[in-house]
Amino acid sequence: TIVYDSTDKDKGKLTIKGSGTFVGIETSGSSVNGVSIEISGGTFENSFPAEYLPENVALKEQEDGTFKVGEATSVAKIGEDTYPTLEAAVKAARSDSTITLLEDVYLGKMLTLDKADVKLDLNGYTISASVDFVDPTPNATNNDNHLIDVTAGGVTITNGTLKAGTLNNHTLNIWNANGVTREKVTLDGSAAGMGGAPLSVGASDVTLKGDIALKTGENSWYGMNVDSRKVSDTNTTGASLTLDSANVTVTGPKTAGIYVEDTAGDGIALNFQGAPAIAGEAE
């Protein structure tokens, strides 16, 4: 651990470059004004403010939960605009935007897609949970330990893989959102340690197209959960799942494909069109 203790009378510059492994950066003292910290290399167990990084250098989370400092690269793009993190691209997206991944991404907390009609093109890449994935509200009822949460209508996710980790519940949770489409995706919940399912549909209208692979683990419930779920005292809707020419495979120890759970009593619709197929294969 590097601890920089500064006072108004003792200001200076801390520089870290090259390689090395650190726990983190901690600043303390009566004032940090005027203190210069520049980090252009190294691997850190904990994140630190981006203001410590020089231009064209980025801090990127790794699969093992550490953070590596290195040359800034573009993780995603919207049109010709590129972004250093997927979170930054999601924040910048507007309705009808297409976010295209440019490399594999590791998430340390749940990613929420809450803007209508946004398309997330995985572009053949994978979004995974890092090993230190955290639930920012572990005792709350809003379940922030899904890998990705969709809460807006018209969202499309296509062409890649979503992979949950040991600290995740659902791999993909769709909540109170209509017109949501999943096409040519793998939803991998084989390592999810908090229960759940690769795909959860709550009070939403969801369509599956193309090849859909659902991977379950020992802690999984089944491949898909479809639940009408009471959203609020004044807003209750049914749930709808449509397989539109979809070829769905469920692999792993839990091969049940669709579990229907009408907890709100508002009805659930399962629609099959274009000769879809669903099959379970034990592993």
Side-chain angles (χ1 to χ4, degrees):
T1 302
I2 296 174
V3 179
Y4 193 95
D5 188 355
S6 69
T7 68
D8 285 334
K9 296 180 180 180
D10 179 17
K11 299 175 181 178
K13 181 175 183 178
L14 171 65
T15 302
I16 301 175
K17 59 184 179 179
S19 60
T21 301
F22 307 91
V23 174
I25 300 292
E26 177 184 339
T27 60
S28 63
S30 60
S31 174
V32 294
N33 293 329
V35 175
S36 175
I37 300 175
E38 183 174 283
I39 304 172
S40 59
T43 299
F44 295 78
E45 292 184 16
N46 298 292
S47 182
F48 56 79
E51 63 191 73
Y52 298 160
L53 301 169
E55 187 177 359
N56 297 322
V57 174
L59 183 68
K60 188 173 296 185
E61 189 164 4
Q62 307 297 299
E63 181 178 10
D64 62 2
T66 62
F67 296 84
K68 188 174 183 179
V69 178
E71 181 181 0
T73 58
S74 298
V75 169
K77 68 177 182 177
I78 301 175
E80 298 301 319
D81 296 327
T82 58
Y83 300 88
T85 66
L86 177 56
E87 291 88 344
V90 170
K91 184 177 181 180
R94 298 181 178 181
S95 181
D96 294 326
S97 292
T98 295
I99 303 169
T100 303
L101 278 193
L102 301 176
E103 60 180 56
D104 292 336
V105 171
Y106 296 97
L107 299 177
K109 63 180 180 180
M110 185 175 74
L111 180 71
T112 299
L113 301 178
D114 57 1
K115 296 177 182 177
D117 303 317
V118 166
K119 181 178 181 179
L120 177 57
D121 182 358
L122 301 172
N123 197 26
Y125 293 107
T126 298
I127 298 176
S128 305
S130 68
V131 297
D132 65 344
F133 190 98
V134 295
D135 179 357
T137 54
N139 297 316
T141 58
N142 54 350
N143 295 323
D144 289 340
N145 59 350
H146 311 308
L147 181 67
I148 292 183
D149 211 34
V150 176
T151 60
V155 172
T156 296
I157 299 178
T158 185
N159 192 30
T161 300
L162 305 180
K163 187 175 182 179
T166 57
L167 299 177
N168 288 134
N169 187 8
H170 304 312
T171 306
L172 177 61
N173 183 58
I174 304 169
W175 177 252
N176 195 26
N178 290 323
V180 176
T181 301
R182 302 292 169 265
E183 184 172 7
K184 296 185 292 185
V185 294
T186 296
L187 304 179
D188 187 347
S190 58
M194 308 296 289
L199 175 61
S200 177
V201 178
S204 299
D205 169 24
V206 176
T207 297
L208 304 180
K209 295 182 178 182
D211 291 334
I212 304 292
L214 307 174
K215 297 184 178 182
T216 65
E218 292 295 339
N219 295 303
S220 300
W221 300 339
Y222 22 71
M224 292 179 276
N225 180 63
V226 184
D227 187 351
S228 62
R229 192 63 63 92
K230 187 176 181 180
V231 176
S232 70
D233 290 338
T234 58
N235 179 13
T236 58
T237 62
S240 172
L241 178 68
T242 298
L243 273 60
D244 183 0
S245 302
N247 179 31
V248 180
T249 58
V250 185
T251 58
K254 309 294 176 65
T255 57
I258 303 173
Y259 184 85
V260 175
E261 188 176 4
D262 191 14
T263 57
D266 289 315
I268 291 176
L270 297 180
N271 306 302
F272 302 94
Q273 57 193 47
I278 182 169
E281 301 175 3
E283 288 185 349

